[in-house]
Amino acid sequence: MPSREPGVHPLLQNLRAGLRIGLGRRFDPDAVHVDAHQAVGLFLIALALTLLADFIHTEPEREFNAWGVISHLATYALFLFAAYLAAQAHRRLDRFGLLLIVMLAAEPVGRGVAELYRQVAESADDMWTAWGVYALLVGWFYWVAYRAQSRVFASGRGRTAVAAAVYMGVLVANSLVLPHADAWYTVYTGDEAPEKPVLDVEATYYAQPELLAAALDGLQPQRPGVPDIYFVGVAGWAEQDVFLREVRAVRELFDTRFDTAGRSLLLINNPQTVGEVPLANATNLQRVLRRLGEVMDPEEDMLFLYLTSHGSREHEFAMHYWPLRLNDIPAARLGAMLAESPIRWRAVVISACYSGGFIPPLNDAGSLVLTAAAADRQSFGCSNENAWTYFGEAYFERALKQTRSFTAAFQQAAGAIAEREAREKLEPSLPQSWVGEEMAAYLPRLEQHLATLDAAAPAALADCGATSAAETAPCR
C-alpha cells in the first residue's frame, strides 16, 4: 500500500519527494500521488518559477512577451516527450505518469540549480569556463534523472543509464538547438536604448580587399642595413573588447619603442573597427604574410606576429564575429602559412588558452615562439571590461617597457604571472617559450640595433615640438 502521510496535502508530499531527489536523498515512489490534479498543479508551479526567473532577470521597464510563454510551453512539451521516451526505454509505460510527477516535483530544485549556473556562467572569465559549468549542470540533471528512474522503474543499471541519457538528450537538444524567448523583455526609450550595431555581412565581406590593400599599401619599405621589425597584431574575438584594446596598445608600444611605425598593421574582429580595419581571419592573415614576404629583407628583417583571442584544447586560435562564419586557425595551419612565406626571422606571440600547443608546428630554427599558456592549460584575464589579459599586461605593458629583449621580458612576465595566479588561487597557466638556434644568434644583432634607439631618442624628442601630430608618431 502507498506509504503516504495522513493530514498532509498530496501536493506538499510530492514536492517533498522532489526535494529529496534533488538533494540526493532516498525517496519512496509509493509515497508519490499520481493523478491529473497533481500533474497540473506541479506543472503550474514549475511554469510560475520559470516566469518569475524571466521577470527577475529582465531590467525595468519590462514588457510581457506572449511568445516567451509559448516558448516555455514548447519546452515543457518536450519534457513530457522525454519522460515518455524514458518510460518506453524501460518498457514500463504503466509507470510513465509516476515518472512525470516525480520529475515535475523536482523542478523547483532544478530551477534553483539553473539559477546558480546562470550566476556562475555570467561571471566566468572565458567561454570555456562557461561551457565547463554548463557541462556540470547537465551532469547534475542527468544524475537526478538517473536516480529518479532507478527508483521509479527498478530496472538494471545499464538500462537506467541509457534511459536517463535518452531523457537528457532530448532536453539538451532543446536547450542548444531550438530557439527560445523570455516571457519579459526590457523596453528602452530615448537615450537609455543601448547601441546594437547591425553588421552588414555582405558589405563587410566585399570591403575586405580594399581595407587590406590600404593597410598593405601603407607599409614602408625595409631599410637596407637596418634590421627592421614588421609588426602584425591579430584580435580574433569580436564580442570581448579586451582583445581590441590589447592589440591596439601593443601596436602603439611597438611603434613608439621598437621602431615599427609605418611597418605595422592590425587585423581585428570588433564592431568598433569593422569598417576601418581588415577582419581577423585566416584569409587576410595569409595575404598579409605573403605581402610581407615581398616587402621584407629575409636576411635582415623580422616579423613580430601577435595573436590574442580564445583558444581550444585542440590548439585552434579562435576567429569569431557573429554572424560572420569565420574559421578558427589550427596550429598546423598557422605553421603552414608561415612556412609558405619567405620570411626567415619571425617572433610569434600567442595569448590564448592552450596556446602552448602552437609551439611544435612553429618551432623552426629561425623562430621565437612565446605563448600565454601550456598546451593543456588555460590563460586568464579575457573579461570584456579588462584592458589587458594577464599575459598581455605582464609581457607588453610591464616587461617590454623595461627591456627590449623579447626573451628577457618573457622570463620576467612568466614569473609575474605565476605570482599573480598563486595569489588568486588559479591553476598555473605555465607560459611557454621556444627560441630556435638561428634566432638565438639573430636576436643580439636586433637588440643592438634597438639599443641605438635610446641614444637617438633625445634628438628625436627635440624635434617633436615643431612637427604636426601625424609627424610625431615615430617620436619616442
Side-chain angles (χ1 to χ4, degrees):
M1 293 294 293
S3 55
R4 297 168 180 169
E5 300 179 47
V8 179
H9 194 282
L11 188 62
L12 293 179
Q13 289 191 42
N14 285 344
L15 289 172
R16 183 182 299 175
L19 179 63
R20 295 183 68 87
I21 296 171
L23 296 180
R25 302 181 65 184
R26 293 178 63 85
F27 76 99
D28 182 5
D30 291 332
V32 176
H33 296 262
V34 181
D35 57 50
H37 294 92
Q38 294 302 307
V40 172
L42 291 170
F43 164 71
L44 291 177
I45 290 174
L47 180 61
L49 290 174
T50 300
L51 298 180
L52 177 62
D54 285 356
F55 184 85
I56 292 173
H57 290 294
T58 305
E59 297 179 1
E61 298 285 336
R62 301 176 183 88
E63 188 165 313
F64 181 70
N65 177 24
W67 288 108
V69 177
I70 295 174
S71 173
H72 292 314
L73 291 176
T75 295
Y76 281 108
L78 285 173
F79 169 86
L80 183 72
F81 179 61
Y84 171 80
L85 290 180
Q88 190 76 270
H90 286 280
R91 300 177 182 176
R92 291 293 306 274
L93 286 178
D94 60 307
R95 306 282 276 182
F96 164 65
L98 175 58
L99 177 64
L100 184 64
I101 294 294
V102 166
M103 298 309 295
L104 282 173
E107 271 287 281
V109 182
R111 172 54 55 189
V113 173
E115 286 301 304
L116 178 61
Y117 154 74
R118 182 168 185 164
Q119 296 298 321
V120 174
E122 289 179 351
S123 62
D125 285 340
D126 56 77
M127 174 186 64
W128 305 111
T129 300
W131 276 109
V133 176
Y134 180 77
L136 291 176
L137 177 71
V138 172
W140 181 86
F141 275 106
Y142 176 83
W143 174 72
V144 170
Y146 178 90
R147 288 192 67 254
Q149 292 185 35
S150 68
R151 297 289 295 164
V152 169
F153 298 104
S155 302
R157 292 182 178 179
R159 184 183 296 275
T160 301
V162 171
V166 170
Y167 173 87
M168 284 305 303
V170 173
L171 299 186
V172 171
N174 168 61
S175 68
L176 295 180
V177 177
L178 298 182
H180 293 275
D182 290 341
W184 274 272
Y185 61 90
T186 301
V187 178
Y188 293 99
T189 57
D191 296 335
E192 297 178 356
E195 295 184 5
K196 294 184 178 180
V198 177
L199 182 67
D200 187 329
V201 175
E202 182 178 2
T204 299
Y205 276 131
Y206 278 109
Q208 294 312 297
E210 183 177 349
L211 290 173
L212 194 60
L216 293 173
D217 291 344
L219 292 174
Q220 296 181 9
Q222 69 90 214
R223 297 168 292 186
V226 177
D228 287 313
I229 299 176
Y230 281 77
F231 174 84
V232 177
V234 180
W237 196 269
E239 282 73 19
Q240 290 177 297
D241 291 345
V242 60
F243 304 116
L244 166 68
R245 300 185 192 104
E246 185 163 281
V247 79
R248 280 175 162 175
V250 174
R251 181 191 191 182
E252 182 179 358
L253 171 70
F254 268 72
D255 282 358
T256 59
R257 186 167 168 79
F258 291 89
D259 203 24
T260 63
R263 297 177 181 83
S264 64
L265 59 84
L266 299 176
L267 302 177
I268 298 175
N269 293 332
N270 194 280
Q272 298 180 39
T273 62
V274 67
E276 305 168 1
V277 179
L279 289 176
N281 59 40
T283 301
N284 282 352
L285 178 58
Q286 189 165 33
R287 290 175 178 172
V288 166
L289 294 176
R290 287 175 180 170
R291 177 58 179 160
L292 289 179
E294 300 170 355
V295 172
M296 298 168 60
D297 185 326
E299 297 302 319
E300 290 184 343
D301 303 333
M302 185 183 82
L303 165 70
F304 193 102
L305 174 61
Y306 180 54
L307 303 102
T308 180
S309 184
H310 293 293
S312 72
R313 293 182 183 274
E314 291 72 33
H315 308 132
E316 295 181 333
F317 183 81
M319 296 293 201
H320 187 269
Y321 191 172
W322 180 258
L324 301 176
R325 301 179 65 86
L326 305 180
N327 296 324
D328 295 342
I329 301 182
R333 183 176 184 188
L334 180 60
M337 290 164 60
L338 289 166
E340 292 171 0
S341 170
I343 301 170
R344 179 179 179 184
W345 310 114
R346 57 205 189 209
V348 183
V349 181
I350 306 174
S351 179
C353 293
Y354 313 107
S355 48
F358 280 76
I359 290 181
L362 306 181
N363 61 357
D364 73 352
S367 291
L368 165 67
V369 186
L370 308 177
T371 69
D376 59 348
R377 298 295 179 92
Q378 297 183 35
S379 56
F380 302 99
C382 51
S383 296
N384 184 64
E385 67 275 6
N386 288 351
W388 294 89
T389 61
Y390 283 17
F391 179 82
E393 181 176 10
Y395 186 65
F396 295 105
E397 174 67 1
R398 300 189 183 279
L400 279 183
K401 285 189 175 180
Q402 301 176 27
T403 177
R404 288 191 173 94
S405 169
F406 298 128
T407 53
F410 177 81
Q411 296 302 322
Q412 178 181 331
I417 291 170
E419 292 176 3
R420 180 174 185 176
E421 290 170 343
R423 287 196 309 269
E424 299 180 10
K425 295 181 172 56
L426 299 172
E427 182 182 27
S429 55
L430 303 179
Q432 302 290 301
S433 66
W434 161 271
V435 185
E437 294 181 1
E438 295 178 7
M439 174 60 82
Y442 170 82
L443 284 175
R445 176 157 53 104
L446 177 66
E447 291 168 8
Q448 184 178 6
H449 162 67
L450 293 174
T452 64
L453 301 179
D454 289 325
L461 288 172
D463 293 337
C464 284
T467 55
S468 68
E471 292 168 335
T472 59
C475 293
R476 297 169 190 82

